[in-house]
Amino acid sequence: KRLLELQKPIESITGFDRPNLIYNVVKAGDKFSWLLDYLKNNYHEQSGVIYCATRDAVESVTKKLNDKGISAAGYHGGMAPESRQKNQDDFIFDRIRIIVATNAFGMGIDKPDVRFVIHYNMPKNMEAYYQEAGRAGRDGEKSECILMYSPADIVKQKYLIELNSSSDIRESIQYRSLQYIIDYCHTNECLRSQILGYFGEISPSKNCGSCGNCLDESELVDVTVEAQKILSCIHRVSGSYGLNTIIHVLRGSRNKKIMDLGFDKLSTYGIMTDYSDNGIKEIAMSLVSSGYINMTADKYPVLKLNQNSWKVLKGEEKILHRKHLKDKKDITKDKKTARRESASQEVNTGLFDKLKELRYDLAKAKGLPTFMIFHDSALKEMAEIMPKNKEEFLTVKGVGLKKYESYGEDFLNVITGYGD
């Protein structure tokens, strides 16, 4: 203000909340099959970004998508600059639908109509996730941000931390940052509030109504007894071991390490044999994310009890855990389908597609990205109100006199001629 000598400028402070973004965490046994199903059934022919943790993963996923007939190109720092630039331009100008990339992609990319951002691998921290996921929906339209979780990603990220760390202090900070994103993947709470909380903002509601957890209608079941067994086991091993050891003890494993340590003599040995490794892990990680277990920020994290742990052990607090009656992907898809069916009653999808075709042809002829002609939101409004003349056309949000002079008659011709 002082250097520019501004006179009483308007100051605007924005928060971290992006209400049009739908956050979701997916835990799929076969990631690529899930991804393929998602791409075939959601946001047909619309733009998206798929982030991978390594260059090899980018090339592998891109090839698999191309082999399945899906329009996708890769982007990573190991590519020749001209190939990287071509793929980026093809994405921006809608010559390809999907860009598969490492975190090298995105800085300075201004493509407002990205309808989904999928993290095929877990990012290293919440800052990276928020920045990369935030490339979706910059035009204000509803868009999805999906984080695909798998335990293998944790191992990969820890390897990268160890490989690139310059000091013990920095390494410890990176492990703590990674743990927050792990907790985010396991929480039963509102995902939007978890993101806002990380950045020091308080969510206006405990239920945002539009993230994977808030849309999930799966039953919350009482797992207090199971939680007590897990906490008791951590106490019995003196809080000196990680989750895998706890799982081995609870499931009655007879592997050499367990037997050598004498853990088969513990009262908690074999008391959860009817649970799978993943079943115990889900409950334990939910306890970590909810603050009932402390997990050290190390390469090999150790589980420890805290004051909240004893409240559960003494029966002073109940633990509820979500019982997934069906895959979370299906639940959110059902919700989105309902939203789209509702929206389709207002927007003439046939006309909308015609307007998109015209926009693409005009953009191609002028060498411009499609959003430089009109955003999707403007086309949807045109398809909804079907303006018949210049005055009505100018009422569409995103349409000004200059845009009308450049493109108005072309779009009015399509609108007035639709259905003839």
Side-chain angles (χ1 to χ4, degrees):
K1 281 194 302 186
R2 182 177 59 79
L3 291 174
L4 296 175
E5 298 182 356
L6 299 177
Q7 304 299 313
K8 296 182 179 179
I10 296 173
E11 295 185 12
S12 177
I13 300 174
T14 59
F16 286 88
D17 192 15
R18 297 275 306 282
N20 65 308
L21 300 187
I22 303 166
Y23 298 101
N24 195 9
V25 174
V26 168
K27 298 170 183 174
D30 185 337
K31 281 188 176 184
F32 187 76
S33 292
W34 188 95
L35 177 65
L36 198 60
D37 180 63
Y38 176 86
L39 295 178
K40 287 181 176 179
N41 291 288
N42 297 270
Y43 301 110
H44 184 57
E45 294 183 355
Q46 292 181 298
S47 297
V49 180
I50 300 172
Y51 279 106
C52 297
T54 65
R55 297 172 182 181
D56 286 346
V58 165
E59 293 181 359
S60 173
V61 171
T62 304
K63 183 179 184 305
K64 286 180 180 179
L65 290 176
N66 290 159
D67 289 346
K68 295 294 182 179
I70 293 175
S71 172
Y75 186 106
H76 61 70
M79 297 172 66
E82 53 274 15
S83 297
R84 201 165 58 236
Q85 187 64 49
K86 179 186 181 302
N87 289 351
Q88 178 176 304
D89 290 345
D90 285 349
F91 179 64
I92 291 174
F93 285 85
D94 294 322
R95 292 190 286 266
I96 59 167
R97 178 187 170 199
I98 295 163
I99 195 89
V100 184
T102 60
N103 59 10
F105 176 81
M107 297 302 289
I109 303 302
D110 184 20
K111 184 171 172 59
D113 59 344
V114 173
R115 290 281 75 87
F116 59 89
V117 171
I118 297 174
H119 279 76
Y120 197 76
N121 302 116
M122 182 189 298
K124 62 183 178 180
N125 54 42
M126 184 55 76
E127 287 93 341
Y129 180 64
Y130 181 81
Q131 183 184 61
E132 291 159 11
R135 289 177 182 128
R138 290 186 175 180
D139 56 2
E141 293 285 296
K142 289 286 185 185
S143 306
E144 283 195 276
C145 306
I146 298 170
L147 198 166
M148 300 187 75
Y149 169 87
S150 80
D153 290 337
I154 302 174
V155 176
K156 189 178 298 179
Q157 286 297 343
K158 287 184 176 181
Y159 169 74
L160 293 173
I161 289 172
E162 187 179 12
L163 191 67
N164 300 312
S165 181
S166 56
S167 69
D168 290 344
I169 294 175
R170 178 173 173 76
E171 189 173 281
S172 179
I173 292 171
Q174 289 179 313
Y175 281 132
R176 281 200 300 273
S177 297
L178 176 62
Q179 187 57 51
Y180 193 93
I181 199 82
I182 295 170
D183 291 348
Y184 172 84
C185 292
H186 288 281
T187 185
N188 289 318
E189 305 301 318
C190 171
L191 296 175
R192 190 180 307 280
S193 67
Q194 294 295 301
I195 292 172
L196 294 179
Y198 180 85
F199 292 106
E201 290 189 9
I202 298 174
S203 177
S205 171
K206 289 185 178 180
N207 188 320
C208 71
S210 62
C211 75
N213 283 356
C214 292
L215 290 170
D216 193 339
E217 296 174 346
S218 303
E219 179 186 0
L220 279 171
V221 295
D222 189 335
V223 292
T224 306
V225 172
E226 289 84 349
Q228 288 172 331
K229 291 177 180 180
I230 293 169
L231 295 171
S232 180
C233 190
I234 294 170
H235 176 61
R236 294 286 185 274
V237 301
S238 305
S240 302
Y241 294 90
L243 181 55
N244 285 337
T245 298
I246 300 302
I247 291 172
H248 287 323
V249 174
L250 290 168
R251 297 201 67 232
S253 170
R254 299 193 63 80
N255 73 28
K256 189 174 186 302
K257 177 183 175 182
I258 297 300
M259 306 307 287
D260 288 349
L261 289 168
F263 287 168
D264 58 319
K265 306 295 193 297
L266 297 176
S267 59
T268 52
Y269 180 78
I271 61 173
M272 294 185 76
T273 54
D274 51 340
Y275 280 78
S276 67
D277 286 11
N278 283 337
I280 298 173
K281 184 175 290 184
E282 280 292 309
I283 297 172
M285 292 304 292
S286 179
L287 289 170
V288 171
S289 69
S290 301
Y292 290 103
I293 297 174
N294 289 342
M295 181 178 275
T296 60
D298 306 302
K299 181 180 178 181
Y300 302 106
V302 170
L303 302 184
K304 295 180 178 294
L305 302 188
N306 56 37
Q307 289 183 337
N308 291 329
S309 311
W310 292 103
K311 292 178 183 177
V312 178
L313 283 167
K314 292 175 182 178
E316 296 172 359
E317 288 193 16
K318 273 188 177 182
I319 300 297
L320 299 177
H321 189 64
R322 203 170 291 283
K323 179 181 180 182
H324 293 289
L325 302 178
K326 53 180 177 175
D327 192 288
K328 192 178 291 187
K329 170 195 68 177
D330 298 325
I331 293 165
T332 54
K333 188 163 69 178
D334 290 346
K335 290 284 187 177
K336 290 196 294 294
T337 300
R339 283 200 300 271
R340 289 190 193 120
E341 288 173 351
S342 175
S344 68
Q345 295 171 3
E346 300 172 5
V347 177
N348 187 324
T349 53
L351 176 55
F352 177 59
D353 289 340
K354 290 285 186 184
L355 296 174
K356 283 177 69 177
E357 288 175 15
L358 172 60
R359 180 182 63 175
Y360 180 80
D361 290 340
L362 290 171
K364 187 176 180 181
K366 290 178 177 290
L368 295 172
T370 54
F371 62 83
M372 293 293 287
I373 307 294
F374 288 119
H375 283 189
D376 279 0
S377 55
L379 299 189
K380 285 180 180 178
E381 191 171 340
M382 291 177 203
E384 180 184 344
I385 68 174
M386 298 183 70
K388 299 178 182 63
N389 51 48
K390 175 181 177 180
E391 288 70 27
E392 292 180 7
F393 195 83
L394 287 170
T395 65
V396 175
K397 186 178 179 181
V399 175
L401 188 58
K402 184 171 176 54
K403 289 254 186 172
Y404 175 80
E405 290 172 351
S406 299
Y407 316 114
E409 289 188 9
D410 291 326
F411 281 87
L412 278 174
N413 287 338
V414 171
I415 293 167
T416 55
Y418 182 75
D420 288 351

